[in-house]
Amino acid sequence: KLDRKTSVVRSYTKAVVADALTRARDAISRREYDKALQAVAEAEQIVFQNHSYLGDNLFQYYVNELDQLRADAARGRSGGSKSR
């Protein structure tokens, strides 16, 4: 069973990442790529700070999610196109 601090840190990190994903996707849709990259960077900082509480699987999941959005924003900023 997870201790209380681990549970709280995991919940907080999940909320931070979810918020960043939403903000980044919204920014990308408005072609505000720098704002998207900022949202990703802020969430990534929290994920790395909380790595020991997240465990490797959850940590890697969040890193992968954020990396994908960073790539989408960077692609948009450089003028690349991608359809989804």
Side-chain angles (χ1 to χ4, degrees), residues 54-66:
L54 299 174
D56 290 336
N57 290 338
L58 201 49
F59 171 79
Q60 196 58 54
Y61 173 77
Y62 290 145
V63 167
N64 290 342
E65 290 286 305
L66 294 168

Side-chain angles (χ1 to χ4, degrees), residues 21-74:
L21 295 177
T22 299
R23 288 189 298 129
R25 288 182 183 124
D26 288 348
I28 290 169
S29 73
R30 293 187 312 269
R31 297 182 178 176
E32 295 174 343
Y33 303 113
D34 289 335
K35 285 185 180 180
L37 292 169
Q38 169 115 22
V40 169
E42 290 169 0
E44 192 172 59
Q45 183 177 7
I46 298 299
V47 169
F48 277 88
Q49 283 175 334
N50 294 332
H51 184 176
S52 63
Y53 292 101
L54 299 174
D56 290 336
N57 290 338
L58 201 49
F59 171 79
Q60 196 58 54
Y61 173 77
Y62 290 145
V63 167
N64 290 342
E65 290 286 305
L66 294 168
D67 280 349
Q68 180 61 51
L69 265 181
R70 180 187 299 102
D72 291 349

